[in-house]
């Protein structure tokens, strides 16, 4: 049995570029840290935007910082039903060919041609963690969670960087299916 891995549940959120932040909130606007996230240097900002499609909308969706090289919206597949879109399940940053939507801020809006994904479940690890668990970056593994609705997750992506902290990221649909929340743990199965 391997050492338990902490879980973080990821709700719908937006990552924005400097250019898009200027359009949404005004030239030179800086994100305000609301709460630091588990991954070093990452934070939930005070700033929120609306996500809009022809079929639906979500109000007050949090922007996560810091700014990114490309704007990306991460939603759960249940969220996609309300928006009437079909996002692919992908690793963060892989948005090519994904659906778009409109992001509305207090000063302007962005019409994304692509950029909406359902993030694939993944485990962040340092190189030392990867060595301990016997895995490498981009490996695909299984992970088990116990409990009342315990289950085994297939197709869990390993992401290794010295900038990461050990944590498994699941979206809200996955967390609800397993009845696990932030602070719970999973066990890596190769």
């Amino acid at each position: 049995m391997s050492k338990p891995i902490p879980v973080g549940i990821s709700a719908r959120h937006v990552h924005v570029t400097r250019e898009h932040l200027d359009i949404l909130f005004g030239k030179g606007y800086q994100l305000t840290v609301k709460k630091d996230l588990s991954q070093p240097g990452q934070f939930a900002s005070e700033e929120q935007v609306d996500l809009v499609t022809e079929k639906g909308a979500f109000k007050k969706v949090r922007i996560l910082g810091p700014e990114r090289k490309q704007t990306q919206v991460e939603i759960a597949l249940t969220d996609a039903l309300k928006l009437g879109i079909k996002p692919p399940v992908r690793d963060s940053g892989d948005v090519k060919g994904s659906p778009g939507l409109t992001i509305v801020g207090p000063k302007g809006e962005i019409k994304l041609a692509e950029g909406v994904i359902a993030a694939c479940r993944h485990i962040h690890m340092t190189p030392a963690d990867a060595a301990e668990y016997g895995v490498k970056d981009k490996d695909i593994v299984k992970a088990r969670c116990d409990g009342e609705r315990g289950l085994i997750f297939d197709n869990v992506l390993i992401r290794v960087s010295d900038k990461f902290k050990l944590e498994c990221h699941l979206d809200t649909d996955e967390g609800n299916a397993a009845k696990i929340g932030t602070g719970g743990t999973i066990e890596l199965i190769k």
Side-chain angles (χ1 to χ4, degrees):
M1 183 163 148
S2 64
K3 178 175 85 173
I5 296 171
V7 168
I9 302 298
S10 182
R12 72 182 77 95
H13 62 272
V14 179
H15 298 285
V16 295
T17 63
R18 172 75 258 162
E19 175 189 3
H20 287 166
L21 187 59
D22 285 344
I23 293 167
L24 294 166
F25 288 89
K27 189 84 170 148
Y29 191 90
Q30 295 297 311
L31 292 172
T32 308
V33 177
K34 177 181 175 67
K35 177 177 95 167
D36 287 327
L37 299 177
S38 61
Q39 293 306 308
Q42 305 291 309
F43 61 91
S45 76
E46 292 285 354
E47 290 72 23
Q48 297 174 327
V49 292
D50 297 342
L51 305 179
V52 181
T53 67
E54 290 181 7
K55 303 234 172 152
F58 284 109
K59 302 281 189 189
K60 297 185 177 182
V61 177
R62 191 144 327 267
I63 295 177
L64 300 188
E67 296 158 18
R68 295 279 181 101
K69 292 178 185 172
Q70 79 183 9
T71 295
Q72 171 178 298
V73 176
E74 293 183 33
I75 62 175
L77 294 175
T78 302
D79 295 337
L81 295 173
K82 180 175 179 180
L83 294 174
I85 59 176
K86 294 183 179 180
V89 176
R90 301 245 182 97
D91 188 12
S92 183
D94 182 4
V95 299
K96 186 174 173 96
S98 65
L101 49 61
T102 301
I103 302 173
V104 181
K107 301 283 187 185
E109 64 183 45
I110 311 281
K111 291 190 185 303
L112 288 181
E114 62 184 16
V116 183
I117 64 165
C120 63
R121 49 187 163 250
H122 57 279
I123 301 172
H124 289 280
M125 294 185 168
T126 64
D129 293 326
E132 180 178 343
Y133 287 96
V135 295
K136 63 186 183 317
D137 191 45
K138 304 294 185 206
D139 277 358
I140 303 294
V141 298
K142 295 181 183 189
R144 174 182 25 244
C145 68
D146 295 324
E148 186 178 356
R149 298 198 70 190
L151 53 79
I152 294 175
F153 290 106
D154 277 337
N155 303 317
V156 181
L157 175 67
I158 299 294
R159 297 182 60 196
V160 179
S161 169
D162 57 4
K163 295 181 174 128
F164 291 155
K165 177 181 170 189
L166 183 65
E167 187 174 52
C168 175
H169 284 177
L170 303 173
D171 70 20
T172 52
D173 287 350
E174 294 161 332
N176 288 335
K179 201 172 178 184
I180 190 169
T182 296
T185 60
I186 56 102
E187 176 189 353
L188 187 142
I189 305 169
K190 289 189 191 172

